[in-house]
Amino acid sequence: IGKTTHLDPNQAAPLLKTIGLMTPQGEIKAPMRRKYKQVNHFLELLDPCIPPASGKKPYTIVDCGCGKSYLGFVLFWYIRHILNRTVRFYGVDIAQDRIDHCRERTEQLALGDMHFECASNREAKLPETIDLLISLHACDTATDEALALGVARKAKHIACAPCCQHELADQ
């Protein structure tokens, strides 16, 4: 892998094994090397949004349209284990199987401050104060709903990348 990374594979081995980027023997899987680079690039982009800890206030992240939450788990791990900050994470998705999958991973990694809810962005029970709202490739109007939620809750930072696959597929 060579280049300095935000997520050291040795330090993050339990996470990387659980989310499927690393073999049980501790090697980044060959077909997942590109994903591993993407994950580190994601952390590099968001790192400036995460200030050093000040007091005991947790850094609060909301992931709208979280899916299997690969990036959510990586971001949570990075903040908690690398930056040594208290962090709370809330993932929302309308697919119950994805939420169940995320909850299983949360239990496997003993990450008690990660919460997942099967709901729309509008109906989810989320904290009033949001430090970082992410919505990456959420389908249909979910990105619009995420942006509206972030603005309404005065999120300190919003990172969104819309998904256009359904609109293009219909055409």
Side-chain angles (χ1 to χ4, degrees):
I1 308 230
K3 186 179 168 188
T4 302
T5 62
H6 281 72
L7 195 63
D8 179 84
N10 296 318
Q11 188 176 13
L15 168 73
L16 296 172
K17 288 176 185 178
T18 300
I19 65 173
L21 297 183
M22 182 178 273
T23 67
Q25 295 76 30
E27 298 292 325
I28 300 296
K29 294 177 181 177
M32 300 307 270
R33 288 189 182 177
R34 185 168 179 231
K35 176 69 101 177
Y36 178 73
K37 287 176 77 172
Q38 289 174 341
V39 160
N40 275 289
H41 184 65
F42 173 74
L43 293 174
E44 182 181 346
L45 292 172
L46 291 181
D47 190 57
C49 300
I50 307 163
S54 57
K56 294 184 179 185
K57 184 183 177 296
Y59 189 78
T60 302
I61 302 168
V62 172
D63 186 354
C64 296
C66 66
K68 291 185 179 179
S69 207
Y70 284 97
L71 296 175
F73 278 97
V74 166
L75 186 58
F76 182 91
W77 185 276
Y78 176 71
I79 294 170
R80 160 104 20 109
H81 294 283
I82 309 301
L83 300 181
N84 295 311
R85 282 216 52 191
T86 304
V87 58
R88 293 219 171 87
F89 180 92
Y90 300 85
V92 179
D93 202 286
I94 60 170
Q96 186 65 54
D97 61 325
R98 291 182 194 134
I99 294 300
D100 292 342
H101 185 77
C102 290
R103 287 177 178 159
E104 287 173 21
R105 284 181 171 169
T106 300
E107 287 179 28
Q108 289 172 342
L109 292 165
L111 301 175
D113 286 329
M114 288 192 85
H115 310 280
F116 293 93
E117 181 180 357
C118 183
S120 70
N121 294 333
R122 283 182 264 154
E123 296 168 342
K125 295 170 189 78
L126 298 168
E128 285 300 316
T129 303
I130 300 171
D131 294 303
L132 173 62
L133 182 136
I134 59 176
S135 183
L136 306 174
H137 306 291
C139 294
D140 299 324
T141 60
T143 300
D144 298 330
E145 293 170 16
L147 289 168
L149 175 68
V151 170
R153 301 276 174 100
K154 298 180 180 163
K156 292 182 180 114
H157 303 280
I158 299 173
C160 285
C163 174
C164 62
Q165 67 185 10
H166 291 295
E167 291 79 5
L168 291 176
D170 291 342
Q171 294 176 16

